[in-house]
Amino acid sequence: MFIGYHILVKFFYNGDSENDFLPNEYRFCESNSVEGDLKGIIDNFDYIKELGVDLIYLAPIFKSDTTHGYDTVNYFKLATHIFDKNEFKSQKLLHNFINLCHSNDIKVIFDLVLNHVSKFYEMETITQFRPVTENPKTPQENRWQRLFKFWNVEDLETKKFLISVGKYWVEKFNIDGYRLDHAIGLPIEFWSEFYIELKNINKDIILLGEVWDDISDSNDNYKLIKHFKEFDGNTTFTSLFDFYMYDSIIEFFAEDKINNSQFFNRIIKSYSMNNKNFKLTYFMENHDLPRFINICRDYKKFEMVLKFLFTLSGNLMFEYGNEIGIQGDITYKNFHESGRVSMKFKDNHSIKEKYLFDLFKKLVNLRKNNKSLVKGNYILKEDKDVLIFDKVYNEDKFMILVNKNDNYLLKGTYFDELTEEYYEDSFFEKGVYILSYEK
């Protein structure tokens, strides 16, 4: 299991001004882009390493005409505005980055869009296969059709072509897997075959799918996860983003729409989908969602959610800037894209951001050293005035206190793992607490 860090490359850091594009050189250029590139990530590698994360998930790095990169123009070419105008130098830079990560026990996954490509895809470069496209089939595709064309994986040549894309980057660059964009757009039969082919190359491959209907409710998204996680009893992804739990976190912490008991039931419902070969991935933001602080508008609630995520059994994925509660750009036309802002590094952190940065590091370290937080069972203790549950894995055990009220009297003696303080028959103010029974 992993603690991941998603980097939207063009918004992170500009390490090489010579590969910059002017805004008019893109078909679509977002206003907060800083012309970030891979060298900018390498230049700030110590910052990422200090966080303690063990996986970096890169937004699309293939040839494209936009700052977000989801309009792939060629699956087998690296974007010159992220790497170098010389393809050999680009590949060498990528190899160096992956080696740097692996030497520091950090895995690397790429964002891969197999459902659709740019209308300007370089079809003439495809020589081994004869892939074909189809008309849009989903509501999302209907909205996107002026920008993209959509692969028809019912066609055998198309299926072989897309699987060859996945195999290429794993075999040639030793990457650790993919985040698979808009996986809902392709049939589960395709993903089952893709999984088998990639597993044959690397038995530990990470295939993290985005299965989400952005106009449906939490129950519909739960059903989608249930449907896509297996095909004929076999695993299709090693993980899926849990949009069901994302919706539940907002309803519980930000909107107060569900109570303690309902929220705990959703935690258990989510947890029940995990098995030996499949673990859900939990998150509070991504590049297609607003920054959580702009949803809850309360740093206390933000901090509570940050702590809570580290108590969930499964994988975790954090958006760049989550570690400091970075604000979105509320002037964006589309609120769901307002989180695409330029990164802030330590020299520019406010007092609050420094506090959250240090808290994030503590949470990562605590989780890495306690298996009950990573894969423990949940045992409910209280769900009336507050939510209290134990996380248990063998002899490793913590009490998790989620208090949305002003004060709560907790009887007994406990050790707070984050503040490193003892409490005996004490009042706890609003917050999330990770407590051990004795120390």
Side-chain angles (χ1 to χ4, degrees):
M1 283 181 274
F2 57 77
I3 303 173
Y5 192 73
H6 175 223
I7 299 176
L8 202 57
V9 182
K10 301 306 295 181
F11 299 79
F12 197 67
Y13 189 83
N14 189 342
D16 180 6
S17 60
E18 292 187 6
N19 63 14
D20 291 1
F21 276 20
L22 296 173
N24 62 7
E25 293 182 86
Y26 291 102
R27 293 188 186 277
F28 178 66
C29 180
E30 293 159 287
S31 59
N32 291 317
S33 167
V34 295
E35 276 303 289
D37 45 40
L38 194 69
K39 187 175 184 302
I41 298 174
I42 294 172
D43 288 349
N44 289 280
F45 185 79
D46 286 345
Y47 176 93
I48 300 169
K49 183 180 176 182
E50 185 179 351
L51 291 174
V53 298
D54 50 26
L55 180 145
I56 292 175
Y57 144 38
L58 293 178
I61 59 173
F62 311 122
K63 186 176 181 180
S64 72
D65 295 322
T66 65
T67 47
H68 56 67
Y70 286 90
D71 61 318
T72 310
V73 170
N74 191 320
Y75 284 122
F76 300 98
K77 295 288 185 181
L78 296 166
T80 58
H81 53 80
I82 291 177
F83 292 89
D84 191 276
K85 293 176 182 177
N86 180 285
E87 183 68 13
F88 175 78
K89 290 182 180 179
S90 292
Q91 293 192 10
K92 183 178 179 181
L93 183 63
L94 181 56
H95 275 299
N96 290 343
F97 172 71
I98 293 169
N99 290 337
L100 174 65
C101 290
H102 286 172
S103 67
N104 284 277
D105 297 319
I106 296 175
K107 295 182 177 181
V108 179
I109 65 173
F110 290 175
D111 206 333
L112 181 60
V113 189
L114 294 181
N115 178 72
H116 51 271
V117 289
S118 168
K119 279 186 175 282
F120 303 95
Y121 191 91
E122 297 171 347
M123 300 292 286
E124 69 280 2
T125 65
I126 306 173
T127 57
Q128 187 176 354
F129 305 100
R130 291 289 180 267
V132 296
T133 58
E134 64 182 5
N135 293 326
K137 287 186 174 181
T138 67
Q140 292 97 329
E141 290 177 358
N142 282 325
R143 299 201 303 266
W144 302 336
Q145 60 181 310
R146 72 180 178 84
L147 304 172
F148 305 128
K149 48 189 176 184
F150 308 94
W151 295 118
N152 177 8
V153 295
E154 302 299 328
D155 173 75
L156 183 59
E157 285 285 296
T158 307
K159 184 191 296 184
K160 288 180 178 179
F161 169 65
L162 295 179
I163 290 174
S164 76
V165 172
K167 293 169 71 173
Y168 175 82
W169 295 98
V170 174
E171 290 177 330
K172 186 166 183 176
F173 290 90
N174 194 30
I175 66 168
D176 300 285
Y178 297 103
R179 179 265 188 184
L180 297 160
D181 182 76
H182 195 64
I184 188 177
L186 296 175
I188 192 170
E189 294 87 348
F190 168 80
W191 291 121
S192 178
E193 189 170 339
F194 188 83
Y195 176 92
I196 291 168
E197 292 282 350
L198 271 291
K199 273 284 186 178
N200 287 337
I201 299 172
N202 177 1
K203 65 180 178 61
D204 297 317
I205 197 79
I206 296 168
L207 298 176
L208 171 57
E210 181 200 33
V211 173
W212 171 46
D213 187 340
D214 59 353
I215 59 174
S216 293
D217 61 18
S218 57
N219 286 325
D220 286 337
N221 282 317
Y222 171 78
K223 292 174 184 176
L224 282 173
I225 295 171
K226 289 280 284 185
H227 173 70
F228 272 89
K229 70 186 286 279
E230 292 180 350
F231 176 67
D232 282 348
N234 297 312
T235 303
T236 49
F237 299 89
T238 60
S239 183
L240 292 171
F241 283 106
D242 192 347
F243 283 88
Y244 170 70
M245 183 51 63
Y246 170 77
D247 291 338
S248 301
I249 286 170
I250 290 177
E251 291 175 28
F252 181 69
F253 286 101
E255 299 174 343
D256 292 319
K257 286 185 176 179
I258 56 176
N259 61 32
N260 293 322
S261 178
Q262 292 169 319
F263 185 55
F264 185 76
N265 287 338
R266 294 194 187 186
I267 295 171
I268 298 303
K269 194 174 179 180
S270 169
Y271 173 66
S272 68
M273 288 191 280
N274 291 332
N275 59 44
K276 179 181 178 181
N277 298 315
F278 175 89
K279 299 291 187 296
L280 287 166
T281 295
Y282 301 103
F283 62 99
M284 64 194 301
E285 298 172 8
N286 69 29
H287 64 285
D288 284 329
L289 295 169
R291 295 289 175 168
F292 193 82
I293 188 63
N294 295 118
I295 294 175
C296 67
R297 293 180 242 173
D298 183 332
Y299 273 106
K300 172 57 74 173
K301 289 182 178 180
F302 177 90
E303 183 180 327
M304 289 173 70
V305 172
L306 185 64
K307 291 177 180 177
F308 170 76
L309 282 173
F310 277 90
T311 72
L312 292 174
S313 293
N315 303 304
L316 301 180
M317 184 66 73
F318 294 95
E319 189 76 356
Y320 73 99
N322 268 172
E323 70 276 13
I324 58 170
I326 201 167
Q327 297 262 359
D329 182 352
I330 59 174
T331 67
Y332 252 53
K333 178 181 178 181
N334 298 316
F335 183 52
H336 68 276
E337 296 175 346
S338 62
R340 301 178 189 181
V341 294
S342 58
M343 181 58 180
K344 290 180 68 176
F345 293 97
K346 291 176 75 173
D347 288 347
N348 295 310
H349 285 179
S350 67
I351 293 174
K352 183 66 177 179
E353 289 166 340
K354 289 177 182 177
Y355 164 76
L356 289 172
F357 182 85
D358 289 338
L359 173 63
F360 188 93
K361 291 193 298 180
K362 284 184 181 179
L363 287 164
V364 170
N365 185 61
L366 183 63
R367 185 175 174 91
K368 281 186 170 181
N369 289 289
N370 294 280
K371 290 183 179 179
S372 65
L373 297 178
V374 180
K375 52 185 176 181
N377 296 320
Y378 300 82
I379 301 174
L380 179 65
K381 298 177 72 71
E382 171 67 51
D383 66 356
K384 300 295 188 294
D385 297 328
V386 295
L387 175 60
I388 303 176
F389 57 89
D390 284 343
K391 287 297 301 294
V392 181
Y393 183 81
N394 295 333
E395 301 302 313
D396 191 27
K397 182 177 180 180
F398 287 105
M399 174 191 284
I400 311 302
L401 166 62
V402 181
N403 179 23
K404 293 167 65 180
N405 304 312
D406 290 334
N407 282 292
Y408 177 77
L409 177 61
L410 183 64
K411 295 282 189 177
T413 302
Y414 304 96
F415 180 79
D416 188 319
E417 293 290 338
L418 295 174
T419 65
E420 300 183 354
E421 296 177 324
Y422 283 96
Y423 295 94
E424 183 174 0
D425 298 340
S426 299
F427 284 96
F428 286 78
E429 63 181 21
K430 181 178 179 180
V432 171
Y433 300 87
I434 303 173
L435 307 170
S436 54
Y437 285 89
E438 55 184 51
K439 198 75 176 176

